[in-house]
C-alpha cells in the first residue's frame, strides 16, 4: 500500500479508503490510486484485511432450486447489491431442503469464512427443530417463516394472489379455479390461501385446487383436467410457467382465451408479454427482495437494532389473456 501511495502521490490513508471502499475519495484521486494499483499489480490481501477489520467481506448464500425465475432474479440482485457494498458471494446450492442437507451447507459456509448467510429456501423443513441455524453468524431468510427468529424478506405473495383473483371476479366470472405450486412451498401456500380467502370474502364457490410443480408441463396437465369441466371460465395459476401450460391445453382444443376462459399467471416473466394472447400476470420484484436481504444482513453485522422489513409489493399487469366471460 505504501508503494501504491507513492506511485499515486497520495497518503496511505487515502489508499486504504479506496481499497476498503470506506470514506470519501474524490473521483480523480480514486482513478490515480486504481491506476497505480493496476500498474504495480497490487491486490488487497483478504486474510490481512479480515484480521484488521474482523470481516471477511464475503456473504454466504444457501439456495435451493435455480430453475425458479424468482430465485434466479433474487440471486442476481443479491450479487449486485453485495458487489456495490464491496462484498463477494460464496454460493452453496442444496439439492433438497432436508435438515442434514441444509446443515451441511451451513458447515461448508463456516469453513469458507463468511460474515453472514442469506438463505433462499422456500420449504417447510426449515422450521423443523432438528435444523440448527449457525449461532455465530448473522442469518437472513428469503421466502420462509423464520422471521420471528431472524430477519426475513419476501414478496407480498398474498397481495399478488388477491389482485389476480379480484381482477377475474371483477370482470364478471362466477369463481376462479387455481393451479397451485408445490405443497411444501411457502410462496405457493401464501398464494393459495389468499386466493381461497378472496373467494370466501366475495361469497363465491371455492373450486378444487389443482397441484402443479412450477413447470409449464404441470400447468398443461392441470389444463387438460380443467378443459373437461364445462363451467371453468377463469384460472389463476401460481406462476407464469404453469399459466403457459394451461393456455396451451385450452388453445389446442379450440377453447378461446379470453373468450372461453381467462388466465392469469404470477411472476412477471418478460416473455409473458410475447405470448398469444399476451399473458395477464402479477409482477413481483425479486430484485428488491435480494437487495433488501443484503442490507438486512449487513445491518445485523453492524449490530444495528433490528427493524421490521416490509414485504415487497406486487403489481397486476393486465394483458389480453383476461376478459369478461362469454354469455351462455
Amino acid at each position: 500500500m505504501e508503494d501504491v501511495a507513492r506511485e499515486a502521490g497520495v497518503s496511505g490513508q487515502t489508499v486504504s479508503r479506496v481499497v476498503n471502499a470506506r470514506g470519501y475519495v474524490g473521483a480523480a484521486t480514486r482513478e490515480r490510486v486504481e491506476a497505480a494499483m493496476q500498474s504495480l499489480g497490487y491486490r488487497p490481501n483478504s486474510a490481512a484485511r479480515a484480521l484488521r477489520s474482523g470481516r471477511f467481506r464475503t456473504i454466504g448464500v444457501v439456495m435451493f432450486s435455480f430453475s425458479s425465475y424468482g430465485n434466479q432474479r433474487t440471486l442476481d440482485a443479491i450479487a449486485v447489491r453485495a458487489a456495490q457494498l464491496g462484498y463477494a458471494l460464496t454460493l452453496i446450492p442444496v439439492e433438497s431442503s432436508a435438515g442434514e442437507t441444509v446443515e451441511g451447507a451451513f458447515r461448508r459456509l463456516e469453513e469458507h469464512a463468511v460474515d453472514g448467510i442469506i438463505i433462499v429456501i422456500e420449504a417447510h423443513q426449515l422450521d423443523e427443530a432438528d435444523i440448527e441455524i449457525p449461532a455465530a453468524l448473522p442469518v437472513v431468510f428469503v421466502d420462509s417463516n423464520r422471521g420471528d427468529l431472524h430477519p426475513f424478506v419476501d414478496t407480498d405473495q398474498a397481495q399478488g394472489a388477491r389482485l389476480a383473483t379480484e381482477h377475474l371476479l371483477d370482470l364478471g366470472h362466477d369463481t376462479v379455479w387455481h393451479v397451485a405450486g408445490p405443497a411444501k412451498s411457502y410462496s405457493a401456500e401464501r398464494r393459495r390461501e389468499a386466493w381461497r380467502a378472496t373467494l370466501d370474502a366475495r361469497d363465491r364457490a371455492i373450486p378444487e385446487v389443482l397441484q402443479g410443480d412450477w413447470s409449464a408441463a404441470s400447468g398443461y396437465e392441470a389444463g387438460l383436467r380443467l378443459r373437461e369441466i364445462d363451467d371453468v371460465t377463469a384460472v389463476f395459476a401460481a406462476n407464469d410457467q404453469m399459466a403457459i401450460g394451461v393456455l396451451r391445453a385450452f388453445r389446442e382444443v379450440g377453447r378461446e382465451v379470453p373468450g372461453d376462459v381467462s388466465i392469469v399467471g404470477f411472476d412477471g416473466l418478460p416473455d409473458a408479454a410475447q405470448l398469444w394472447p399476451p399473458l395477464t400476470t402479477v409482477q413481483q420484484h425479486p430484485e428488491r427482495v435480494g437487495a433488501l436481504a443484503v442490507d438486512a444482513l449487513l445491518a445485523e453485522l453492524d449490530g444495528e437494532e433490528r427493524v421490521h422489513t416490509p414485504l415487497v409489493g406486487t403489481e397486476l399487469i393486465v394483458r389480453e389473456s383476461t376478459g369478461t366471460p362469454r354469455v351462455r
Side-chain angles (χ1 to χ4, degrees):
M1 290 179 70
E2 291 177 359
D3 294 338
V4 172
R6 190 179 305 111
E7 177 80 8
V10 299
S11 68
Q13 187 178 21
T14 298
V15 176
S16 178
R17 285 199 292 266
V18 172
V19 169
N20 294 299
R22 290 179 177 273
Y24 173 77
V25 178
T29 301
R30 181 179 298 278
E31 289 177 6
R32 289 208 314 276
V33 171
E34 290 173 346
M37 291 167 62
Q38 180 72 24
S39 174
L40 296 171
Y42 172 79
R43 296 291 183 273
N45 185 307
S46 58
R49 291 167 69 186
L51 286 172
R52 288 196 304 272
S53 66
R55 297 274 180 95
F56 298 100
R57 301 197 73 79
T58 300
I59 295 171
V61 178
V62 178
M63 178 173 282
F64 174 63
S65 176
F66 291 96
S67 61
S68 161
Y69 170 76
N71 281 358
Q72 292 173 9
R73 292 283 305 280
T74 300
L75 178 60
D76 182 63
I78 290 171
V80 169
R81 183 60 175 161
Q84 289 173 344
L85 299 174
Y87 281 76
L89 289 189
T90 296
L91 174 64
I92 304 291
V94 294
E95 296 178 358
S96 78
S97 50
E100 63 275 11
T101 305
V102 176
E103 288 184 351
F106 294 156
R107 287 193 296 271
R108 290 174 61 191
L109 283 174
E110 289 178 312
E111 292 169 1
H112 281 77
V114 299
D115 297 307
I117 302 175
I118 296 175
I119 300 174
V120 190
I121 301 178
E122 52 165 9
H124 290 266
Q125 285 95 328
L126 286 179
D127 297 315
E128 295 177 357
D130 62 345
I131 294 182
E132 295 184 8
I133 306 300
L137 290 174
V139 173
V140 170
F141 283 86
V142 174
D143 196 11
S144 182
N145 72 344
R146 286 270 182 166
D148 56 336
L149 302 174
H150 300 276
F152 164 73
V153 183
D154 195 14
T155 295
D156 193 340
Q157 313 286 352
Q159 178 205 36
R162 185 172 63 252
L163 289 172
T165 308
E166 287 178 343
H167 169 65
L168 291 166
L169 295 177
D170 290 343
L171 286 170
H173 296 276
D174 292 333
T175 191
V176 178
W177 291 71
H178 183 48
V179 181
K184 292 182 178 180
S185 163
Y186 272 112
S187 294
E189 179 182 50
R190 293 181 182 115
R191 295 172 196 181
R192 182 179 64 250
E193 292 309 310
W195 158 80
R196 189 188 308 275
T198 304
L199 291 179
D200 188 55
R202 300 277 285 263
D203 198 24
R204 303 301 178 91
I206 300 176
E208 171 194 0
V209 174
L210 287 85
Q211 197 78 52
D213 62 8
W214 296 133
S215 70
S218 70
Y220 176 70
E221 291 298 321
L224 294 180
R225 293 174 57 192
L226 288 168
R227 75 187 191 189
E228 299 302 318
I229 304 172
D230 290 338
D231 60 353
V232 173
T233 67
V235 179
F236 164 45
N239 75 339
D240 287 344
Q241 281 99 336
M242 292 193 298
I244 290 169
V246 173
L247 176 62
R248 175 198 164 192
F250 277 97
R251 291 290 301 274
E252 70 181 8
V253 292
R255 299 279 293 277
E256 294 183 6
V257 178
D260 295 314
V261 60
S262 290
I263 300 172
V264 178
F266 197 115
D267 273 346
L269 289 179
D271 290 344
Q274 308 308 319
L275 299 172
W276 185 254
L279 182 66
T280 295
T281 185
V282 175
Q283 178 73 59
Q284 59 175 335
H285 299 283
E287 69 283 356
R288 298 180 192 169
V289 172
L292 283 172
V294 173
D295 290 345
L297 184 65
L298 296 189
E300 289 283 297
L301 275 170
D302 291 334
E304 297 178 10
E305 182 179 352
R306 186 180 302 173
V307 297
H308 174 68
T309 302
L311 295 174
V312 176
T314 59
E315 306 163 51
L316 181 71
I317 308 299
V318 178
R319 300 192 180 105
E320 285 86 345
S321 71
T322 54
T324 56
R326 182 171 288 167
V327 177
R328 298 188 178 186

